Structures are given as structure tokens and as C-alpha cells.
Amino acid sequence: VLLGSSLHNRRDILDEALRVLRTKHRRWYEASIFLRGIRVVTTLKGGSIGTRVDETVLGEVLGRGRRYVGSAKVIDEPFYTAYMPLVDHRGVPVGILGIGAKRQMYIDMRNATITLFALLIAVGVLFGFFVTYLSTNWILRPLSSLAEGMDRVAKGDLDHKVRTESEDELGRLVKSFNLMVKNIKEREIRLQQISEERFSSVEKQVSIGRLAAGVAHEINNPLTSVLSLSMLMQQAAGPDDPHAEDLAVIVEETTRCRNIVRDLLDFARESPMERRIVDLNQVIQETLALVSRYEAMEGIQTELHLSPVPLLVHGDPKRLQQVFTNMITNAAEACGPDGLIVISTDEDSSGGYVVARIADNGKGIPPELRSRVFEPFFTTKGSGQGTGLGLSVSVGIVREHGGVIDLESEEGAGTTVTIQLPRMIE
């Protein structure tokens, strides 16, 4: 069409093509249409119609049918250009559409673009600094204050409070922290009060223990003398002596007093232990041989299930024997005649402790009394049948050996006492 219009001098069609090339943004570029390398439509001024396209462009676009982008001369003036081929109905290139900007204009556009991007970057940096400043004041500063408060509270300053004016999530976090510190302080005060009360109670018990030990020491020798003389008089008196019954009562009651004094001395004992490596199995066997002569053991059946390997502990064999004596006699008294006591030993799952269990089929301990059985002077036996110090003394001895005592009982089904002691590895 353009070729025909050019040959027949139809300016109306050429002017329409020129109108399309002239847009409102055309001040940045110039555009031209070429037929066989001859400029037939252009936005350039000053007699440019009929001029030829740059030879490099001509060979690339018309010769090879490819686009060209780069520097080229436009009427002997350097431009930055872009050209594309115009093809006929057969697909053969017959013309060229070109667009370009003067080099200086391109440089100005590039500089303007660089300036614009530099301005955008500067604005972005300033905005970043502004956001950082706001974050520091709104978030980081309160967080830093909260962290400082946590550090002070961790060091024991429970009077410290974190101040905040914020009502957002951070403000709620600070309020929750202050509330937590308040609750901790209240609990610490309460624990301190409880500790003081318990410490006072412990001091009182210690004082009573020392007093009891002093009294026991003072009356032990006179009691021994009374018991010895009473036994001698009982032996000297014949069965028909009118004082024989009274002497028997004196001997019995004096013996009971001596046992009470002995328990008090054991409870208040402060003498160092004589530790050595002993086999717990052997201690239990010797203890059982000793207590088997006791009156409480009459009619009691005992079963031993001892570990086949030695269970070595570092301890005082006499004190350990005292513990097992108390446990076995208590079990015998709980069972009554025809009762059963099962004694077993083993190592725990870690191999670091030895475990001894004394189980009986007695009447058990009522639930309301189980928490008190290890208290000093507490006993479930009748009047005159015990001091209530046996279990307390046993607990003290086991703790001195680094062990623990645990008690499980079911009323009407019996009681099991478990003793754990640190094991010595061969």
C-alpha cells in the first residue's frame, strides 16, 4: 500500500501513517518507515523524505530479515535505534520500520533514569532508617527493658517492674511479666514464712532431742544399777518369797525404761559411724538370726529371697543391723502369730543401688496414719509397748548412708518397706 501510495503520489495514506507514528510521547524519539531502504514516512524534519537507511541496518534487516538494535546514523547524526523488517504477503522483507533517539537525548534519558533510581534508593534508605528508628522506640526499646527486667528478676530483684505505656501485644506481655513477678514474690514470702515455721519446729525438735539425750545419759547409769540389783534380788529370792512378784515387776519395768533410754540415745546419737564395705545379704542373715530369738518372732514364718551375688555397701554394719532389726520386729508385731515375713534383696535397674524389701501380711496401716509413721515418738502400738523412735532412728541411719526408705501399705493386706542404699562396685 505504501509503495503504491508513494508511486501514485497518494499523500493521504502516507499522512495517516505519519499520524500513527506521532504520539504524545514522541518527543523522546523519532520514527521512520522505509521502502527498500528509502525513507517514505518520518517524524524527522527538514527534507529527510527520500533519504536512505544506514547501510548496516539495510544489510541486517532487508538482507537477512532480522531485527537490528544498536547505534546507527540517521541523516549523518548518531542515534540509538531499533529497526524491524516489514514483509509482504509472501513474507519477503520489502520495507523497514525504525525508531530511534538522538544519542544526547538517550544520554539525558539515561541520566534522568539513573537520577530517578538514585532518588528512589535514597528515599528507600531514609524510609528504612525511619522504620528502624520507630522499631527501636516502639519494639526494641521495650523488649530491651523487658530483657533487663528479666535479668534483674533472675538475680533476685523481685521488686523490679518493667514500665510501659503500650496497650498492644507487647504491653500485655510486659503486664503479664509484672504479674508473674508479683506472684513469685508472694510465693517466696509465703515459702519463707513456711520455712521459718518449719525451721523453728526443727530447732525445737533438736532442742528436745538434745534435752532427751542429756536426760537419757543422766538416768542411764542409775537405771543400770537398779536393774542389776533387782535382778540379783530376784535371783536370791525364792519362788515362795512374798516379794518375788514385786521384784519381777521391778525388773520388767526397769528393763522397759532402759530400752526407752537406749532408743533415745540412738535417736540423738552424734557419734561418727564406723564405715566399711559389707555385704547387705550377710547383714540381713545375721540380723534374722538375732531377732529369731525375740518373743515377737514366735510363730512367724520367714522367707528369704536374697540376691545370688554379693550386694556390697559402704556402711556401719551395726547400724544397718539396727535398721533391719527394727523393720523385722515391726513386721512381726504387725503380723501377729502365724504371720509371714518375706525378705528379698536385689540391685535396682541402674545397678547403682541395692534394694532390700521387708513385706508382711499383717493388718496394714490406715491411710490417715501412713504419712506419720516416720515421725519421732509416733506409734500405733498400745500404751507401754513402744517409744515410737524405731522408724525415726532407722530413717536417720539410712539417710546417713545416702539411702532412702519407702513404705507401701494397704489396710488389711500388709505392709512392704523398701530400703535403697548406694552400691559399692567391686
Side-chain angles (χ1 to χ4, degrees), residues 168-369:
D168 56 7
E169 288 80 1
L170 186 59
R172 290 197 292 271
L173 176 62
V174 171
K175 290 180 181 178
S176 298
F177 173 76
N178 289 333
L179 180 61
M180 179 189 69
V181 174
K182 177 185 175 184
N183 293 335
I184 291 175
K185 184 177 180 180
E186 291 176 351
R187 291 181 183 178
E188 181 176 331
I189 293 173
R190 180 57 184 157
L191 286 174
Q192 186 175 0
Q193 292 174 346
I194 294 173
S195 298
E196 289 175 355
E197 293 173 0
R198 291 185 177 178
F199 184 72
S200 176
S201 177
V202 170
E203 282 187 329
K204 183 177 179 181
Q205 289 185 4
V206 170
S207 299
I208 293 174
R210 288 176 178 172
L211 177 62
V215 172
H217 278 293
E218 291 296 326
I219 66 176
N220 188 47
N221 290 336
L223 273 177
T224 302
S225 300
V226 171
L227 179 61
S228 298
L229 291 173
S230 300
M231 293 178 68
L232 288 173
M233 292 175 65
Q234 187 182 30
Q235 290 175 2
D240 298 329
D241 193 305
H243 302 292
E245 186 176 348
D246 294 334
L247 288 172
V249 172
I250 293 173
V251 170
E252 182 180 352
E253 293 301 319
T254 307
T255 302
R256 191 166 69 87
C257 290
R258 187 189 62 179
N259 292 336
I260 294 173
V261 170
R262 183 189 61 198
D263 288 342
L264 283 171
L265 289 173
D266 288 339
F267 181 69
R269 180 189 288 118
E270 296 181 358
S271 59
M273 290 192 298
E274 297 179 3
R275 290 177 180 263
R276 59 186 177 88
I277 298 177
V278 293
D279 182 5
L280 194 66
N281 291 334
Q282 183 179 352
V283 172
I284 291 176
Q285 287 174 331
E286 293 175 355
T287 303
L288 191 59
L290 175 65
V291 300
S292 62
R293 303 187 184 95
Y294 289 7
E295 183 179 352
M297 295 296 292
E298 290 183 7
I300 299 294
Q301 181 182 357
T302 58
E303 292 184 7
L304 276 179
H305 302 283
L306 302 182
S307 170
V309 297
L311 299 177
L312 302 181
V313 297
H314 187 232
D316 188 328
K318 291 184 179 180
R319 293 196 184 183
L320 291 176
Q321 192 175 77
Q322 182 180 354
V323 171
F324 288 106
T325 298
N326 288 333
M327 298 299 109
I328 294 172
T329 54
N330 282 346
E333 291 171 354
C335 290
D338 302 324
L340 173 65
I341 299 176
V342 179
I343 304 172
S344 61
T345 61
D346 201 353
E347 60 181 25
D348 72 339
S349 58
S350 68
Y353 284 82
V354 300
V355 182
R357 292 182 176 87
I358 299 95
D360 64 67
N361 63 348
K363 58 186 177 181
I365 303 172
E368 64 273 12
L369 300 180

Side-chain angles (χ1 to χ4, degrees), residues 74-150:
V74 177
I75 313 178
D76 297 326
E77 188 174 353
F79 271 62
Y80 285 103
T81 62
Y83 294 93
M84 64 175 295
L86 299 175
V87 298
D88 60 11
H89 64 283
R90 298 170 298 173
V92 177
V94 295
I96 301 173
L97 172 63
I99 186 171
K102 292 182 180 180
R103 180 173 293 178
Q104 187 58 45
M105 185 176 292
Y106 174 79
I107 293 172
D108 292 342
M109 290 175 61
R110 183 188 63 183
N111 292 339
T113 303
I114 292 174
T115 302
L116 177 61
F117 274 100
L119 181 62
L120 290 175
I121 292 173
V123 170
V125 171
L126 291 176
F127 180 74
F129 278 120
F130 179 70
V131 171
T132 302
Y133 175 77
L134 292 181
S135 299
T136 301
N137 284 273
W138 291 351
I139 301 176
L140 297 182
R141 225 172 250 179
L143 284 177
S144 177
S145 177
L146 181 60
E148 180 184 357
M150 294 175 69

